[in-house]
Amino acid sequence: MVTLNVPSTLEADKIIGRVDLKECLSSADGIRPSDPDFRVLDDGSVYPARALVLSGKKRSFTIQLSDSKTQTQKEIPVMLEHQKKVLKKRHTKNTVLRRAKRRWAPIPCSMQENSLGPFPLFLQQVQSDAAQNYTVLYSISGRGVDQEPLNLFFIERDTGNLFCTRPVDREEYDVFDLIAYASTADGYSADLPLPLPIKVEDENDNYPLFTEEIYNFEVPESSRLGTVVGVVCATDKDEPDTMHTRLKYSILEQNPRSPGLFSVHPDTGVITTVSHYMDREVVDKYTLIMKVQDMNGQFFGLISTSTCIITVQDSNDNSPTFRQNAYETTVEENTYNVEILRIPVDDKDLVKSANWKANFTILKGNENGRFKITTDPATNEGVLCVVKPLDYEENRQVTLEIGVNNEAPFIRDVASRVPSMNRALVTVHVKDQDEGPECNPPEQYVRIKENSAVGSKINGYKAYDPETKNSNGLRYKKLQDPKEWVSIEEVSGLLTISKTLDRESMAPRNDLYNITVMAIDQEGKSCTGTLAVNIEDVNDNAPEILQDYLVICTPKMGYTDISAVDPDEPVNGPPFRFNLASSSPEVNRIWTLNPVNDTAARLSYRKNAEVQEYTVPVTVQDRAGQSTTKVLRVNLCDCTHPSQCTARSRSVGVSLGKWAILAILLGIALLFSVLLTLVCSVVTARKGKHFPEDLAQQNLIISNTEAPGDDRVCSANGFTTQTANNSSQGFCGTMRNGGQETYEMKGHQTLDSCRVAGHHHTLDSGRGGHMETDNCRYTYSEWHSFTQPRLGEDSIRGHTG
């Protein structure tokens, strides 16, 4: 028996005592009081389920304890006792209870939520001490009286009894603050207004509710123990900080049921993992039925449920695997940029994710970079391609080792147990293909001496069949031979010299002579190569002196240098030897020749040499004995600069050709005809025959015609002879630069006056105008004395040149 001392009035959910349950049954998992007005918690705390007033001194009930595992049950008797005060009976004449003035004060008052009545429900009596002497009338005001909710409370005017008219919901109104008034019949306020709070005692009439009907959480499949998955939360409208709002969370059901992977904290609602055996590839989603219960989870507490869906996120805990350990494929040689094999792999991870996508690598066998493997994003297959041509003759089979892993790295725990890369072998068979002859190397070299005999044979370009590794069955054709020096034999490819080879005719001389050759097999396939011919030099060219005409200004210059070149290679070239080749004692006496360097010599003269032009033969010889002789014209001139003698030699040394000599002869003949005409004119004049006056006054018209007419002949001394109207007349004149000045001289003027007149009158042929000079006439003796010396001078000059 357990006895608890309690007051006569018990408030709901207010602890009244504690019972030691462990002493009676330590393994108890079921606690149930026999009286429903009381509740007992796991720790033995005893609470009234509602507000109670103990009418008697004692009230008893039992606490039933049970152990479901051992099927044991025990009971603990509980006795509630209280001390009731006895009021002395009033004298019959004292009809009203006398109260001290302290009675008119707030009296604690409460009412049960959702009370069942009967209504009106008496709550308490309010009395004023003034009622001992006066007739007092009572009234109230406030919410529930004259404010919403209206007419919930009323008070009897004469007795002061306070009543409630209907049930009240605490979640809507938790307290009513009323004001009580006491007044006399004549309206006198017997006491001050009395605040009268009425508290609505909570009843566990609201279920706890989850904030969401369905919770959605995600958790990686590689999560460790204790990983937080999510938090569930519930609310209860009942009075806070009471048993009615003390909530407990639990998991009612997990689907799939096994294994149990999750737990929830009973107070906070935090869901965590309790196992590391989650495998998305086995179960990718779990459904939990969550329960929340008030009254701290006691069996009599109200319960609500919610659904929690937990999705397992994929982790890269599965490596891609080849379906076979070895693969085979074929490819024709010389083909590239083609797909030759597709390699499928299996991966249990989430499709299209980085944990599923394969990454292929060629581990071995691709040292030459002829293969490439990529991933088909749609099928996740490895696509093996040839990117460089394969050669059947070089390698008929290639073995590749292919590795595969995922784009995402392996998780740490799995990587330590399983190798991250799977491997497979791929054997590539190369198929033979008729690929034609091969010109390798593309440029071949051969040496041959220049001036080799026509018809000589030399080795030509050699191509080969890559399959047989020889040149059998190939035909050759010459495509390009710049100088057509050789011909090619179709079967053997040998070259035959068809023309004399001259190394010095090549440009540049030291370059190779390229011959383009085509090789053709029996199938008509061909290749092209170049035969680079290195033509070896022979000493087939003598050195050559560069100078022809030399000027030495005496006495300022005592010598002049001459030089020579040899088109042959240096082995057949300098140093040169220079010698005088003349057998003339005079040349050997005047001139000496001394070397300057390998390619030049110095020609010097003795001091007693006369100033004139000499012919000096000089022989030059190369180191191999080839020599040549050249006659040099050496002008020993009295000058200050060689250019002065060069200009004179040009004016003096004009040589006349046969046409020039013919023109001179014709000019002389024409001159004699003019002279004959003049003689006739003189004779006629003496006989008294005169030319008409107008004829005597005629003038020759200057012509600018570029080609001379038939009646004009230019003599060597620059005079121009002309006839007009078949009559001859004596005149003198000068034509400069093709006829820019022309003068006419008529009788009775002297030659000096004619010269003066001629030099002071100039005719500009560019303007096309003409002018007449003064007339002058001569006798035959005067004309003859003027022309004859000049004709003789011109004749001497012509012979000298």
Side-chain angles (χ1 to χ4, degrees), residues 728-739:
S728 299
Q729 187 174 5
F731 67 95
C732 69
T734 301
M735 178 178 290
R736 294 182 182 174
N737 298 330

Side-chain angles (χ1 to χ4, degrees), residues 38-58:
F38 297 95
R39 294 167 182 166
V40 182
L41 302 184
D42 294 340
D43 59 356
S45 300
V46 180
Y47 291 85
R50 60 186 182 87
L52 298 175
V53 177
L54 301 180
S55 57
K57 289 185 178 181
K58 297 181 181 180

Side-chain angles (χ1 to χ4, degrees), residues 2-6 10-21 31-50 52 59-65 76-80 243 295 300:
V2 177
T3 302
L4 300 176
N5 294 319
V6 296
L10 303 180
E11 296 182 11
D13 297 326
K14 186 174 182 180
I15 189 171
I16 58 176
R18 192 182 303 274
V19 179
D20 189 359
L21 303 179
I31 305 173
R32 182 185 296 274
S34 61
D35 189 343
D37 289 337
F38 297 95
R39 294 167 182 166
V40 182
L41 302 184
D42 294 340
D43 59 356
S45 300
V46 180
Y47 291 85
R50 60 186 182 87
L52 298 175
R59 184 169 178 172
S60 63
F61 63 92
T62 60
I63 300 175
Q64 300 173 355
L65 303 177
I76 301 176
V78 178
M79 177 66 70
L80 303 181
M243 292 294 292
M295 299 303 296
F300 47 80

Side-chain angles (χ1 to χ4, degrees), residues 707-782:
D710 295 338
D711 56 350
R712 176 176 298 174
V713 178
C714 295
S715 62
N717 59 359
F719 285 86
T720 301
T721 306
Q722 183 174 347
T723 58
N725 297 327
N726 295 325
S727 49
S728 299
Q729 187 174 5
F731 67 95
C732 69
T734 301
M735 178 178 290
R736 294 182 182 174
N737 298 330
Q740 289 184 356
E741 296 183 2
T742 303
Y743 303 100
E744 180 182 9
M745 296 184 296
K746 297 185 178 179
H748 307 294
Q749 291 187 357
T750 63
L751 290 175
D752 293 336
S753 64
C754 181
R755 286 196 191 98
V756 173
H759 284 289
H760 285 279
H761 294 81
T762 301
L763 180 61
D764 188 356
S765 62
R767 293 195 298 264
H770 69 278
M771 66 181 298
E772 298 180 357
T773 61
D774 295 338
N775 298 332
C776 59
R777 297 178 178 175
Y778 300 93
T779 61
Y780 173 76
S781 59
E782 291 174 331

Side-chain angles (χ1 to χ4, degrees), residues 598-610:
D598 289 348
T599 60
R602 180 160 296 170
L603 183 63
S604 305
Y605 64 92
R606 301 187 185 278
K607 294 183 179 180
N608 57 353
E610 296 183 3

Side-chain angles (χ1 to χ4, degrees), residues 503 506-514 532-535 569:
R503 189 192 70 86
M506 294 169 54
R509 293 178 181 176
N510 294 328
D511 200 4
L512 297 174
Y513 184 72
N514 293 327
V533 181
N534 185 0
I535 301 178
E569 288 189 355

